């Protein structure tokens, strides 16, 4: 996932555009190569399409995430 503004931690909930839980973050960090925050996680097959727009629940705030290839 490519993320906005935050480095998500293990266990953070992944949500679809409608707010339904579709997965969980397993790790997150800053990528100096991409110059962006990235994360890995498990998501439902229906939400795992490249460029899909998801959200990470970060302390009650929903932050945007994009599924990468």
């Amino acid at each position: 996932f490519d993320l906005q503004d935050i480095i998500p931690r293990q266990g953070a909930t992944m949500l679809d555009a409608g707010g339904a839980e579709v997965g969980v973050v397993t790790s997150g960090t800053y990528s100096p190569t991409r110059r962006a925050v990235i994360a890995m996680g498990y998501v439902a097959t229906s939400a795992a399409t490249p460029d899909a727009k998801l959200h990470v629940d970060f302390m009650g705030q929903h932050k945007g995430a994009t599924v990468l290839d």
Side-chain angles (χ1 to χ4, degrees):
F1 306 102
D2 187 18
L3 295 144
Q4 301 170 355
D5 303 329
I6 61 157
I7 297 177
R9 298 292 175 224
Q10 181 180 11
T13 304
M14 299 294 302
L15 309 165
D16 66 12
E21 185 175 332
V22 293
V24 64
V25 173
T26 58
S27 64
T29 192
Y30 178 78
S31 168
T33 302
R34 292 183 62 90
R35 296 188 176 139
V37 175
I38 59 171
M40 294 192 326
Y42 293 105
V43 296
T45 305
S46 61
T49 57
D51 299 321
K53 302 299 182 194
L54 302 176
H55 293 90
V56 175
D57 185 343
F58 182 75
M59 300 176 70
Q61 298 179 9
H62 295 176
K63 299 292 186 172
T66 303
V67 177
L68 301 174
D69 283 339

